[in-house]
Amino acid sequence: MADTTGNTSEKATGTPHDPGSAPRKSSWRYIGPGIVVAATGVGAGDLVATLIAGSSFGYTLLWAAVLGCLVKISLAEAAGRWHLSTGRTLFDGWASLGRWTTWFFAFYVVIWGFTYGAAAMSSSALPLQALFPGVMDLEWWGVACGVVGLVFVWFNKYAVFEKVMTVLVGVMFVVTVYLAIRVAPNLGDAFAGLLPVIPDGEDSVLNTLGLIGGVGGTITLAAYGYWVNAKGWANTGWMKVMRLDNRVAYITTGVFVVAMLFVGAELLHAADIALSGGGKGLVQLGDILEDEYGTATAKFFLIGFFATSFTSLIGVWHGVSLMFADFVSRLRERRADGAGGTAGGAKEIATGEHERSWPFRVYLLWLTFPPVILLFQGEPFRLVIIYGVLGAAFMPFLALTLVWLLNSSRTPAEWRNGWLSNGMLTVAGLLFLVLCVKEIWDQRWADFF
């Protein structure tokens, strides 16, 4: 979303560019990282939040779901543009802003990974237990999902990972679109829902902001630049392809979100049915679908539910491990030479070097095995609060640091933010800052101490 009119000169920026390594124009056949970020970013929690919005307000908040996708397009595009225009990774950019970013990321990635690992395994286990009742307890299904994800990411590089994610996204797409058609949406009401209207009710403004900010809004937005590099895109010759790929990502996300809002509006809103939060809400929806449309539709939905949850699991297992490997690599380099970050990070990722590194695999193990404790014993209350605060703080951190990086001399002049990118990233930063404050305010701090 930078101003790109006439931006064709590589000489003016010193940006690395090998004309033989990038296409002359964008093409659908190159897309891939966008599919990965869409699949990873939309998890069970996002689908339930959209279902609940549909069940509570009908089609009224359809505009908010669409706006949420547009906000994420701007964030992912900015992350990808930083990687391609500078040849440096996002963590390298963060580190250039001061040591505080290193401390924030280190603390965040350890606590977040420990808690998210349990949540991802549990979410993937729920549809399997519903599909195969009586085979195993939920906790052991969760362990199995985590270990399968570990083995898959450990022994496969990005190319295979992307192909599997694409297949699972296809399953998600077919299931969600089928359900949206099955419930026979009222298209007149749906189009009316594109008008920005805040519904009546207590906390309706904050709930609306939560829907905008919650659709696919996780650390995977930061991982997008890493997947762009892992695909082999490491210079500005891939910029147009990256932008097309990014749009595909959030059009796909938009289809998932709109389809599930249709289901919530038609199937749940009319019957005044309330869902539980998280993955359990989707299991509950499976029961409702069975009563309404039969066992086959319910089973089909549970398969889609598993695809949604498992893509988030293996996406984080790969993407955040890649970020952690880069974090360790940049840290070691700075300690070795006493200087700032180097400009070789993007190329290192493109070679697949980080996917074979010990930090990548150590973080994979961290995501998989320590969280098993939480599966069997439940999450400690204080850890839940810290996780909630850190998770809420990451998105404003991402948005506002991208504004900083992409308006400074760290970015070649022709690839800095234009007015549209600055506007969208600023809106995103303020939106997530409000949601962060709300998350901190809502925590039970009296019990924490």
Side-chain angles (χ1 to χ4, degrees):
M1 290 189 181
D3 295 329
T4 58
T5 304
N7 291 344
T8 57
S9 171
E10 294 294 331
K11 294 180 182 179
T13 64
T15 306
H17 177 64
D18 177 5
S21 68
R24 291 182 179 273
K25 60 181 181 179
S26 59
S27 172
W28 291 94
R29 66 191 178 93
Y30 294 116
I31 66 171
I35 297 296
V36 172
V37 77
T40 307
V42 179
D46 296 294
L47 296 186
V48 169
T50 311
L51 280 166
I52 290 174
S55 65
S56 300
F57 306 112
Y59 294 103
T60 305
L61 290 181
L62 181 59
W63 66 271
V66 173
L67 180 59
C69 292
L70 295 177
V71 168
K72 306 313 184 306
I73 285 176
S74 66
L75 282 164
E77 187 274 342
R81 176 155 45 93
W82 166 265
H83 276 245
L84 294 181
S85 66
T86 65
R88 301 167 70 181
T89 64
L90 190 52
F91 179 76
D92 202 13
W94 286 335
S96 73
L97 301 178
R99 290 185 178 274
W100 66 275
T101 60
T102 300
W103 287 108
F104 174 81
F105 183 79
F107 190 54
Y108 171 83
V109 81
V110 171
I111 299 296
W112 182 88
F114 181 54
T115 309
Y116 179 83
M121 287 187 277
S122 177
S123 180
S124 297
L126 282 165
L128 292 177
Q129 188 184 45
L131 283 165
F132 307 104
V135 174
M136 283 194 290
D137 291 339
L138 180 68
E139 293 81 5
W140 289 110
W141 275 118
V143 172
C145 289
V147 171
V148 169
L150 167 72
V151 171
F152 171 71
V153 173
W154 189 293
F155 290 105
N156 289 292
K157 293 180 68 175
Y158 176 80
V160 176
F161 165 71
E162 182 189 289
K163 287 182 174 62
V164 171
M165 291 288 273
T166 301
V167 171
L168 292 173
V169 165
V171 174
M172 293 167 60
F173 188 89
V174 170
V175 170
T176 54
V177 171
Y178 166 77
L179 288 178
I181 295 171
R182 194 79 169 83
V183 299
N186 185 318
L187 296 181
D189 289 348
F191 280 116
L194 294 174
L195 296 174
V197 175
I198 304 293
D200 295 328
E202 187 178 356
D203 292 333
S204 59
V205 173
L206 289 174
N207 289 334
T208 302
L209 294 178
L211 180 62
I212 296 171
V215 179
T218 67
I219 193 174
T220 55
L221 287 167
Y224 178 66
Y226 288 84
W227 284 321
V228 162
N229 291 152
K231 180 76 169 176
W233 308 346
N235 57 55
T236 54
W238 290 99
M239 196 70 76
K240 288 184 179 179
V241 175
M242 181 276 291
R243 285 171 167 158
L244 173 64
D245 178 76
N246 179 46
R247 292 183 190 112
V248 169
Y250 284 95
I251 289 172
T252 305
T253 300
V255 170
F256 294 150
V257 169
V258 170
M260 296 312 287
L261 192 137
F262 282 2
V263 173
E266 292 295 340
L267 188 62
L268 307 178
H269 182 63
D272 196 23
I273 297 172
L275 291 183
S276 304
K280 291 181 179 178
L282 292 184
V283 173
Q284 186 181 351
L285 178 61
D287 295 336
I288 294 168
L289 288 170
E290 184 170 9
D291 293 339
E292 192 75 20
Y293 301 114
T295 302
T297 296
K299 299 291 185 188
F300 189 51
F301 166 73
L302 289 172
I303 292 169
F305 174 12
F306 173 74
T308 300
S309 297
F310 195 65
T311 51
S312 293
L313 185 151
I314 60 176
V316 166
W317 265 226
H318 185 277
V320 184
S321 296
L322 202 55
M323 292 182 68
F324 183 76
D326 180 60
F327 167 74
V328 174
S329 176
R330 302 300 119 208
L331 209 57
R332 292 168 69 188
E333 283 184 8
R334 282 195 301 277
R335 287 178 176 175
D337 60 22
T342 64
K347 291 183 178 178
E348 287 176 21
I349 295 170
T351 64
E353 179 182 325
H354 283 337
E355 291 172 274
R356 299 186 295 271
S357 67
W358 68 262
F360 181 90
R361 290 177 172 173
V362 164
Y363 196 73
L364 262 179
L365 294 171
W366 175 253
L367 283 167
T368 306
F369 292 111
V372 169
I373 298 170
L374 302 183
L375 285 178
F376 286 93
Q377 295 186 359
E379 297 179 349
F381 181 72
R382 288 183 176 85
L383 186 63
V384 172
I385 289 182
I386 294 171
Y387 169 74
V389 171
L390 284 174
F394 183 81
M395 292 304 290
F397 167 79
L398 174 62
L400 297 175
T401 54
L402 282 171
V403 171
W404 190 348
L405 290 171
L406 292 168
N407 283 288
S408 72
S409 59
R410 298 172 181 84
T411 304
E414 65 176 311
W415 299 112
R416 291 177 197 164
N417 278 356
W419 66 268
L420 181 57
S421 281
N422 275 326
M424 292 296 289
L425 290 176
T426 301
V427 167
L430 294 175
L431 164 67
F432 291 120
L433 198 57
V434 169
L435 294 175
C436 178
V437 171
K438 179 181 184 296
E439 182 70 24
I440 294 171
W441 182 267
D442 288 345
Q443 297 296 339
R444 293 160 55 191
W445 293 105
D447 295 335
F448 183 87
F449 300 105

